[in-house]
Amino acid sequence: MSAIPRTSIALLLTMAACSPPHYDVVIRRATIYDGTGVAPMTADLAIVGDSIVAIGDALPGKGTIEIDAHGKAVAPGFINMLSGSDASLLQDGRSESEIREGVTLEVMGEGESSGPVNDTVRKAYTALQSDFKYPINWSTLGGFLDTLVAHGVSTNVASFLGAATARIMVLKWDNRAPTPAQLDSMQTIVRVAMEEGAMGVSSALMYTPAAFAKTDELIALARAAAPYGGMYISHIRNESGELLPAIEEVIAISKAAGVRAEIYHFKAAGRDNWNKIDSAIARINAARAAGQEISADIYPYDASATGLDASMPPWVQEGGYATWAKRLRDPATRARVKREMDKPGVTWDNAYYSAGSADRVLLVGFKADSLRKYTGKTLAQVATMRHTSPEEAAMDLVARDGSRVSVVYFSMADANIENEIRQPWVSLCSDEASQAPEGLFLESHPHPRAYGAFARFLGHYVRDEKVISLAEGVRRLTWLPASNLRLSRRGKLAKGFYADVVVFDPATIADHATYDSPHQYATGVLDVFVNGKQVVANGEHTGSKPGRVVRGPGWKGSGR
């Protein structure tokens, strides 16, 4: 065989060097909102593997997948700061309702987290499972997140360590302060979780046993997360009459522990408290001006969703569900609970009172088949059907259902939602499980935020009401939460960042889920990529499950 002339080799090398590059994905002629809030630009975006490799005008070369995004917005994947999808993702890893809105990262762990667990916690959590039955065969928070990914998920997942989880592991459901040795054990639980990649420490102080924790206990737990770069995030102690003192507590914890802090689903609940939102915003702005990193997230609806436990005082719930249900069968206890349900809580947050009346409390989820006939009815309607008072009906339902009973409370003002959205430190959450209009999901009647929070934010408040610009709206869903969480290579469209990318039509993106008919997908999101893999193509799920665990800044493993 004759040798190839050197001139020919040089020519081949020159041709190879000049050959246009090949990409896995190229999104062409896109209006790119990079996540930082700057004005958009028209450009192409190229992906190779799990990363963005180029952004520029008329990129040369071809992609295995080519998408013409002319007239469409391209943004980083949206971050859900409060997802309740722990169990639903084990049931259906596709995360249909969230991914179809452009959510590529679900952050879990409000107050209680799915790990760590000991035998006591595992037994209790298993007993409370409703439609979705699954073995709790992990012991750590990191183990839970790894289990999700091994099961297969379409979105990325992350979690906070629940302060109540640490408390239950050490103190069970008792209303007492930890001893110094017990507090040290709780701090050790925090440190281990941070090294496994937890985002920080969360609390949900409206609920038991979290409500039993005093401020100094929460400072100690947040302080344990501080060296790892973790943050403190809280469903604050009171969102109604005592809203301002509850915000002061968050600010005090942040300052004393030396950590960033965020308020979950920031709101003023109850008509009598709507005028407090300006003072609440002013206090947060003052803390920020003084150098503290305080932020908040919201869901863009005028109703919350939680349980009937939020309508009853903490003392009756001490000891866990079984003890609570037993107390509710005692006539003297019932009389006392009824009296306390009918007045504003001072030492606790009374969601029933904040709603204003029983016809503003919607029952949406039961564990017992015999009670499912009440799904979608108001507490007032059920009380009439059962020939009793609304307070007695609520106690009866909890005592019989085997759960706290899921409900929706109509208690917020739309004008306040717009005011909250105007604050540059407010991001977004769903505060709901990701689901689909099929199978076991149809056994419940979720808050419409499960299907529409992000689309409603971009469609109604950004496009239609023009509360903020689209560039700023995208920042709230992407770079703002990514920065608050201290995430690496996520939340922005830039070379070298992970390819979590959303293509959507800003002219048509809309939510369709309602309180009467919640199982309806949002529309307007056309394509979604997670870690470079296409999960939504032309508005339909591809079946791909490329989601990963996203670890916090204290992660001791390799990579994040």
Side-chain angles (χ1 to χ4, degrees):
M1 174 184 269
S2 59
I4 300 175
R6 291 184 178 179
T7 54
S8 298
I9 293 174
L11 179 60
L12 289 170
L13 291 173
T14 300
M15 291 174 62
C18 295
S19 297
H22 185 83
Y23 305 106
D24 293 329
V25 181
V26 180
I27 302 172
R28 302 276 184 193
R29 301 196 301 164
T31 303
I32 291 182
Y33 293 83
D34 71 359
T36 65
V38 300
M41 64 178 177
T42 301
D44 298 345
L45 182 147
I47 298 169
V48 173
D50 64 1
S51 300
I52 298 168
V53 295
I55 299 176
D57 185 36
L59 291 177
K62 291 286 289 181
T64 301
I65 297 173
E66 289 263 344
I67 295 174
D68 184 355
H70 178 63
K72 305 300 186 290
V74 176
F78 304 152
I79 296 172
N80 185 350
M81 279 297 294
L82 174 51
S83 167
S85 298
D86 307 53
S88 69
L89 288 177
L90 286 171
Q91 174 68 20
D92 184 354
R94 294 174 300 169
S95 191
E96 287 268 21
S97 65
E98 298 247 323
I99 202 74
R100 288 171 181 261
E101 289 191 87
V103 172
T104 61
L105 172 59
E106 300 184 62
V107 185
M108 296 169 278
E110 183 198 8
E112 292 184 25
S113 49
S114 289
V117 295
N118 55 17
D119 290 342
T120 299
V121 174
R122 183 178 287 107
K123 182 178 179 180
Y125 283 8
T126 301
L128 289 173
Q129 290 177 7
S130 182
D131 295 326
F132 305 135
K133 310 292 185 185
Y134 52 93
I136 301 177
N137 49 19
W138 57 85
S139 297
T140 65
L141 180 57
F144 163 69
L145 294 170
D146 289 338
T147 296
L148 280 182
V149 171
H151 173 72
V153 288
S154 293
T155 58
N156 295 312
V157 292
S159 184
F160 282 86
L161 179 279
T165 301
R167 180 172 241 276
I168 293 168
M169 290 182 71
V170 176
L171 299 172
K172 298 185 179 179
W173 286 266
D174 296 345
N175 182 4
R176 58 190 175 91
T179 66
Q182 288 171 330
L183 186 58
D184 184 65
S185 295
M186 292 165 67
Q187 288 181 305
T188 297
I189 291 170
V190 172
R191 294 185 188 102
V192 170
M194 293 304 300
E195 292 180 1
E196 293 173 347
M199 294 293 154
V201 174
S202 67
S203 67
L205 303 176
M206 185 179 191
Y207 309 109
T208 59
F212 303 144
K214 301 295 189 272
T215 305
D216 58 350
E217 177 182 322
L218 298 169
I219 290 171
L221 298 187
R223 188 173 285 147
Y228 301 93
M231 70 184 299
Y232 173 71
I233 188 166
S234 182
H235 175 146
I236 57 179
R237 208 173 289 274
N238 194 295
E239 298 174 329
S240 54
E242 299 300 310
L243 172 64
L244 299 180
I247 289 174
E248 291 293 347
E249 182 180 36
V250 171
I251 293 170
I253 291 168
S254 168
K255 186 173 184 178
V259 296
R260 309 179 306 287
E262 178 150 320
I263 297 170
Y264 275 134
H265 43 62
F266 181 48
K267 66 174 77 71
R271 183 179 296 274
D272 292 344
N273 305 305
W274 290 349
N275 61 358
K276 293 182 171 69
I277 200 67
D278 288 335
S279 296
I281 289 170
R283 184 64 190 95
I284 293 170
N285 280 329
R288 289 172 59 84
Q292 286 186 252
E293 293 184 72
I294 310 293
S295 54
D297 52 69
I298 66 164
Y299 45 80
Y301 295 87
D302 63 358
S304 63
T306 179
L308 284 174
D309 53 338
S311 291
M312 300 184 201
W315 62 262
V316 77
Q317 302 176 52
E318 182 182 356
Y321 171 78
T323 305
W324 174 26
K326 182 178 179 180
R327 289 193 184 107
L328 291 179
R329 297 183 182 98
D330 173 64
T333 299
R334 290 169 68 90
R336 180 183 171 189
V337 170
K338 184 178 184 300
R339 288 195 301 271
E340 295 190 23
M341 287 179 67
D342 289 335
K343 59 185 180 181
V346 177
T347 60
W348 63 289
D349 197 353
N350 186 346
Y352 175 71
Y353 186 87
S354 293
S357 66
D359 59 6
R360 294 178 60 80
V361 179
L362 185 69
L363 303 169
V364 298
F366 293 91
K367 181 177 180 180
D369 290 339
S370 62
L371 300 178
R372 292 182 190 270
K373 61 188 176 184
Y374 299 132
T375 301
K377 299 185 183 303
T378 67
L379 184 59
Q381 290 172 319
V382 173
T384 299
M385 293 168 68
R386 295 175 65 86
H387 306 290
T388 188
S389 70
E391 298 86 352
E392 294 279 352
M395 289 184 275
D396 290 342
L397 294 175
V398 169
R400 288 185 56 194
D401 191 57
S403 82
R404 64 180 188 155
V405 180
S406 296
V407 296
V408 168
Y409 297 96
F410 293 86
S411 60
M412 282 101 78
D414 189 68
N416 281 353
I417 296 171
E418 293 191 5
N419 197 358
E420 291 152 14
I421 289 172
R422 291 188 186 97
Q423 309 312 310
W425 35 265
V426 169
S427 58
L428 212 70
C429 71
S430 71
D431 192 11
E432 188 60 84
S434 183
Q435 45 200 282
E438 59 187 60
L440 285 176
F441 293 114
L442 294 177
E443 296 293 326
S444 65
H445 188 98
H447 191 296
R449 65 194 184 188
Y451 286 84
F454 292 79
R456 179 172 174 78
F457 174 76
L458 290 174
H460 178 69
Y461 288 101
V462 173
R463 179 192 62 233
D464 299 340
E465 298 301 319
K466 297 179 174 55
V467 178
I468 54 176
S469 70
L470 181 55
E472 176 63 9
V474 169
R475 185 185 75 87
R476 305 296 189 80
L477 307 182
T478 58
W479 188 239
L480 174 61
S483 300
N484 288 340
L485 294 169
R486 300 295 191 263
L487 302 185
S488 174
R489 297 175 57 199
R490 297 193 192 272
K492 184 166 67 171
L493 297 182
K495 184 177 179 180
F497 274 59
Y498 289 112
D500 297 337
V501 181
V502 179
V503 181
F504 69 96
D505 187 345
T508 64
I509 191 167
D511 63 305
H512 302 286
T514 64
Y515 293 103
D516 291 332
S517 183
H519 289 287
Q520 300 187 74
Y521 289 132
T523 54
V525 170
L526 305 174
D527 301 278
V528 180
F529 294 84
V530 178
N531 300 313
K533 301 297 184 183
Q534 191 166 21
V535 179
V536 175
N538 197 27
E540 296 297 327
H541 203 296
T542 66
S544 182
K545 297 177 180 177
R548 299 175 182 173
V549 178
V550 175
R551 314 278 183 178
W555 166 238
K556 294 299 184 183
S558 58
R560 282 166 56 194

